[in-house]
Amino acid sequence: MTDLAKDFRAGLQQDAVILPPAVLQDHVSADGTRKWLFDVGNGNAIETVFIPETDRGTLCVSSQAGCTVACPFCSTGRQGFNRNLTTAEIVGQLWWARHELQQPVTNVVMMGMGEPLLNYDQLVPALQLMLDDDAYGLSRRKVTVSTSGVVPMMDRLARDCPVALAVSLHAPTDALRDVLVPLNKKYPLKDLMAAIRRYSAPAPRDFITFEYVMLDAVNDSLEHARALVRLVKTEEISCKFNLIPFNPFPNSGYRKSPWSKVRAFADLLTQEGFVTTIRKTRGDDIDAACGQLAGDIQDRTRITQKLKSVPIVEKGATS
Ligand code: SAH
Ligand code: SF4
């Protein structure tokens, strides 16, 4: 970059490094879903998933290695917390996907491993790059942050970078949500709903999406659906629902709701006037479906072998 001042270039050379993400695995599912496993050091790995559809391509991006929220039905939550990803590691997932894929990434969802709003300081600059016309130029509506409900950070996000928001609700009452999303004990439903109202306040901002994982005999009865309707109507929340079929993993202790119950739950919400979708499960043959991402690397010899074959641009290189 000879158009930059010499001193500045010397500073850059000293302080910065150009390094592509280190890929450990690259899987393609029978349905075209693609999953990469990236090494993030110290035996930790994170996963990124690309979901191709006819009219768009969605990249599911990770924000942390592991997660402290520890939702019991989530494979990431079960593995504990390792560390926050840096801004470079977050945006690097998009960088890599864009270079590898034949089709464009039109949407980004922060629905990979980790709780994005518990890594706020690294997340926001990454989101800003995704939106910046000089970087990835995605529109605000096509970048979604999914949160388990970190109330103070939702307010900050509304001010700093108001992208689309999805909230992992999963239960209509505090008693049940305390178990399914333990962060609820800190930020109970009343506070969460108030934060959502504040986030949606400057109309015509888009509706909030509520994600609701369907767990057999836990949260999937019509009584739960009615309680959900009462909750969002009382709190006057403009929202839509996305029901997620539970993706089982070994020793999860939970079961998938039967399809008839998912259907009945969705029908009740629709009859009550809420736009309700049932998420299609994609890539489950390569463990790329929602909540299956574990980034679990036990065999460290395999990491070392794989890493040797990944081209790394050394510190100070100018490519
Ligand atoms: N931490 C953030 C974003 C990542 S998880 C959050 O919780 O919102 C993305 C979605 O997948 C969340 O709604 C999460 O609750 C859901 N999920 C987690 N484990 C799942 C599983 N085993 N089956 C189906 N959905 C799951
Ligand atoms: Fe963390 Fe989200 Fe998994 Fe809960 S569902 S443990 S918040 S990644």
Side-chain angles (χ1 to χ4, degrees), residues 47-309:
E47 290 173 297
T48 308
V49 178
F50 179 70
I51 306 137
E53 285 170 283
T54 37
D55 53 342
R56 61 184 168 176
T58 303
L59 193 70
C60 183
V61 169
S62 293
S63 55
Q64 299 179 310
C67 184
T68 51
V69 180
C71 304
F73 58 86
C74 170
S75 162
T76 304
R78 287 285 186 89
Q79 74 167 43
F81 176 70
N82 288 304
R83 70 168 174 87
N84 283 327
L85 300 187
T86 63
T87 297
E89 286 167 331
I90 297 171
V91 87
Q93 298 168 63
L94 175 56
W95 182 90
W96 181 266
R98 286 256 308 225
H99 280 76
E100 286 289 296
L101 294 166
Q102 312 301 326
Q103 89 182 80
V105 175
T106 59
N107 297 61
V108 170
V109 292
M110 297 301 307
M111 293 185 187
M113 296 167 63
E115 167 48 58
L117 294 187
L118 288 178
N119 186 13
Y120 191 82
D121 292 344
Q122 298 295 323
L123 172 76
V124 167
L127 294 176
Q128 283 163 342
L129 280 170
M130 293 174 193
L131 302 180
D132 195 323
D133 284 341
D134 288 329
Y136 293 95
L138 297 173
S139 87
R140 283 180 194 287
R141 290 186 170 171
K142 298 201 165 179
V143 176
T144 301
V145 167
S146 173
T147 182
S148 53
V150 190
V151 163
M153 296 302 156
M154 289 164 66
D155 287 327
R156 284 185 62 189
L157 190 68
R159 283 196 300 272
D160 296 340
C161 194
V163 291
L165 189 67
V167 175
S168 294
L169 196 55
H170 307 322
T173 60
D174 280 321
L176 184 54
R177 199 166 188 270
D178 281 351
V179 176
L180 295 181
V181 187
L183 190 68
N184 194 71
K185 292 183 211 139
K186 191 161 181 190
Y187 305 115
L189 285 171
K190 192 105 203 124
D191 299 353
L192 179 61
M193 294 298 148
I196 292 171
R197 269 202 309 276
R198 291 192 294 276
Y199 199 90
S200 341
R205 204 174 269 173
D206 280 347
F207 284 7
I208 298 291
T209 301
F210 281 126
E211 296 162 277
Y212 195 98
V213 63
M214 298 295 290
L215 303 167
D216 186 29
V218 173
N219 65 352
D220 64 346
S221 71
L222 287 180
E223 202 32 64
H224 290 114
R226 281 185 212 108
L228 206 51
V229 169
R230 277 197 300 277
L231 173 73
V232 296
K233 285 198 171 166
T234 316
E235 298 284 345
E236 297 179 348
I237 304 287
S238 307
C239 61
K240 50 192 179 192
F241 286 96
N242 191 212
L243 305 183
I244 315 177
F246 171 60
N247 288 307
F249 54 90
N251 305 319
S252 75
Y254 291 96
R255 291 181 314 268
K256 248 175 120 103
S257 297
W259 179 250
S260 58
K261 280 172 100 181
V262 178
R263 201 55 269 169
F265 201 99
D267 288 346
L268 190 146
L269 295 176
T270 310
Q271 280 153 19
E272 292 287 344
F274 296 100
V275 173
T276 304
T277 47
I278 301 171
R279 186 172 296 171
K280 267 193 268 163
T281 288
R282 301 282 307 263
D284 54 352
D285 55 332
I286 55 167
D287 286 349
C290 263
Q292 286 184 328
L293 306 184
D296 189 19
I297 289 293
Q298 306 301 346
D299 181 356
R300 287 168 196 230
T301 45
R302 205 182 52 198
I303 295 192
T304 330
Q305 279 159 9
K306 286 266 183 181
L307 278 178
K308 279 184 189 146
S309 62

